[in-house]
């Protein structure tokens, strides 16, 4: 068996320099290549005109270069766009562009499906098909930036698409390293938000990284019992331990942790929940982002009324918490939180979805 040639899309700046060194080429070519790939959106070596022809030919012979392919692109009435990306093995993931948040935001996936099985999330219903590679995670951003002509503008990234980023830790952090390269898109940590269901070991590891994105923690409940019912994979975790890990998490000057809280009618939106939430987060530099449920067939919960959402938000604010209510975006194209799912969508049975996944 021959080894597959290394894939340029999977190389972080250091690895690219090492690959160049093995070819006898100077390390600074790595920066040129990163510029072409990340800032100009090139997908082949041919067009890299500041590299000598022999070097381009050598690179073309010795490296492969894969880029997620846009399989579908849908425009929502509210300006949101959903991209379905086809991957090299035939599987697909979805990414969402949200134009005015007030900045520009890309919502990116880290896995095909998700293993966390949150009871209110359609992606969770699919289960995990596989992790994305670093190149596939960064590749979504690379293609979005090019397609939306944002390579030279500022944009934000939220790791809130399909998947649990801390369950795919290495690839996620490597993708961020690739996107942060100064010769590429030069993404800064303050423009990135990693959203996690709260895997404590992952949080502790993240706390020790040199490059730490903003943190959002999906809390969703105020008692262990309620949380375990909503997020079955959290059963071995106590809320108290999660909150302790959050208290230890290093925050930048004026930084805060966002706590996401999906509001489910009659389930976690009571006055007692508001009081407990206040207690849990007391003394933490936190803001609470309420997400009224995006309902869908097959999801056994309902979205509370606007009045109930408002009441819950006000009772948190009255306890001194900073609260926002997430506006649902792109619901008409199933691009909203918890609605990203592969071919077929909510009307298909799980078996059909699983079959679609396996068929790729
Ligand atoms: N695995 C990460 C990213 C998930 S998506 C995490 O758990 O944080 C981002 C947010 O959307 C999470 O807070 C998730 O719980 C929430 N969400 C999932 N399904 C939803 C739905 N149907 N309606 C509203 N929010 C949902």
């Amino acid at each position: 068996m021959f080894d597959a040639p290394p894939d340029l899309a999977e190389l972080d700046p250091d690895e690219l320099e090492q690959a160049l060194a093995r070819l006898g080429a100077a390390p600074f070519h790595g920066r040129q290549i990163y510029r072409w790939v990340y800032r100009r959106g090139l997908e082949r070596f041919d067009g890299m005109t500041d590299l000598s022809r022999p070097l381009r030919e050598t690179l073309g012979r010795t490296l492969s270069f894969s880029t997620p392919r846009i399989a579908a692109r849908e425009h929502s009435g509210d300006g949101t766009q959903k991209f379905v990306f086809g991957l090299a093995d035939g599987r697909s993931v979805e990414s969402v562009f949200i134009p005015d948040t007030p900045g520009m935001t890309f919502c990116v996936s880290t896995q095909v499906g998700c293993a966390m099985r949150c009871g209110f999330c359609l992606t969770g219903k699919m289960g995990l098909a596989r992790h994305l590679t670093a190149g596939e995670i960064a590749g979504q951003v690379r293609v979005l930036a090019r397609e939306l002509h944002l390579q030279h503008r500022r944009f934000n990234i939220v790791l809130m698409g399909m998947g649990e980023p801390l369950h795919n830790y290495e690839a996620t952090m490597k993708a961020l390293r690739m996107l942060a390269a100064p010769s590429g898109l030069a993404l800064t940590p303050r423009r990135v938000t990693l959203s996690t269901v709260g895997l404590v070991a992952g949080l502790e590891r993240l706390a020790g990284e040199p490059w730490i994105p903003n943190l959002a923690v999906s809390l969703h409940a105020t008692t262990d019992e309620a949380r375990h019912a909503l997020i079955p994979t959290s059963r071995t975790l106590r809320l108290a331990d999660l909150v302790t890990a959050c208290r230890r998490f290093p925050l930048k000057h004026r930084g805060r942790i966002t706590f996401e809280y999906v509001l489910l009618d009659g389930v976690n939106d009571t006055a007692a929940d508001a009081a407990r939430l206040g207690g849990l987060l007391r003394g933490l530099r936190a803001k609470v982002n309420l997400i009224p449920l995006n309902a869908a067939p097959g999801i056994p919960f309902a979205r509370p009324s606007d009045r109930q959402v408002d009441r819950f938000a006000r009772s948190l604010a009255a306890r001194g918490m900073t609260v926002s209510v997430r506006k649902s975006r792109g619901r008409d194209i199933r691009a909203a939180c918890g609605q990203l799912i592969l071919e077929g969508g909510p009307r298909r049975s799980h078996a059909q979805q699983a079959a679609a996944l396996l068929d790729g």
Side-chain angles (χ1 to χ4, degrees), residues 114-156:
C114 184
M116 299 300 125
R117 301 201 180 270
C118 300
F120 45 82
C121 178
L122 284 177
T123 308
K125 298 237 167 271
M126 291 169 53
L128 177 68
R130 71 165 169 87
H131 294 304
L132 292 184
T133 64
E136 289 169 335
I137 299 169
Q140 297 166 61
V141 176
R142 200 154 48 82
V143 175
L144 286 172
R146 184 188 63 207
E147 292 299 312
L148 298 158
H149 308 290
L150 291 174
Q151 286 139 318
H152 302 282
R153 299 198 35 202
R154 291 210 183 122
F155 54 81
N156 306 309

Side-chain angles (χ1 to χ4, degrees), residues 271-290:
D273 283 303
R276 279 192 297 261
L277 192 52
L280 268 173
L281 303 186
R282 187 160 300 132
L284 247 166
R285 281 157 63 189
K287 50 188 174 187
V288 177
N289 189 214
L290 300 174

Side-chain angles (χ1 to χ4, degrees), residues 157-179:
I157 292 180
V158 294
L159 300 176
M160 296 187 188
M162 303 167 83
E164 165 52 46
L166 295 184
H167 185 215
N168 186 16
Y169 191 95
E170 297 284 349
T172 298
M173 294 312 290
K174 182 174 179 183
L176 295 179
R177 248 183 349 263
M178 302 190 317
L179 295 169

Side-chain angles (χ1 to χ4, degrees), residues 70-113:
I70 300 175
R73 179 172 178 175
E74 289 179 75
H75 297 254
S76 159
D78 65 18
T80 301
Q81 294 183 38
K82 182 169 85 174
F83 291 76
V84 180
F85 282 107
L87 307 172
D89 65 350
R91 296 200 190 270
S92 35
V93 285
E94 299 183 349
S95 316
V96 181
F97 168 61
I98 313 152
D100 44 5
T101 44
M104 318 270 187
T105 301
F106 298 169
C107 176
V108 170
S109 294
T110 54
Q111 297 176 316
V112 184

Side-chain angles (χ1 to χ4, degrees), residues 23-97:
L23 298 172
F28 74 90
H29 293 308
R31 295 196 290 279
Q32 293 173 307
I33 296 171
Y34 250 67
R35 208 170 296 131
W36 285 113
V37 170
Y38 287 89
R39 270 196 226 165
R40 312 283 285 271
L42 245 63
E43 292 183 14
R44 2 178 354 111
F45 297 104
D46 293 357
M48 302 186 181
T49 48
D50 55 0
L51 303 180
S52 72
R53 185 179 297 273
L55 180 57
R56 278 182 268 160
E57 283 170 4
T58 310
L59 290 169
R61 263 199 322 276
T62 48
L63 295 182
S64 64
F65 186 14
S66 57
T67 298
R69 171 183 56 75
I70 300 175
R73 179 172 178 175
E74 289 179 75
H75 297 254
S76 159
D78 65 18
T80 301
Q81 294 183 38
K82 182 169 85 174
F83 291 76
V84 180
F85 282 107
L87 307 172
D89 65 350
R91 296 200 190 270
S92 35
V93 285
E94 299 183 349
S95 316
V96 181
F97 168 61

Side-chain angles (χ1 to χ4, degrees), residues 165-174 177 194 198-213 215 245-246 248-250:
L166 295 184
H167 185 215
N168 186 16
Y169 191 95
E170 297 284 349
T172 298
M173 294 312 290
K174 182 174 179 183
R177 248 183 349 263
L194 184 151
L199 307 180
V200 168
L203 280 176
E204 284 169 353
R205 202 169 159 197
L206 186 64
E209 294 281 349
W211 198 103
I212 303 180
L215 182 65
C246 291
R248 292 203 194 113
F249 196 79

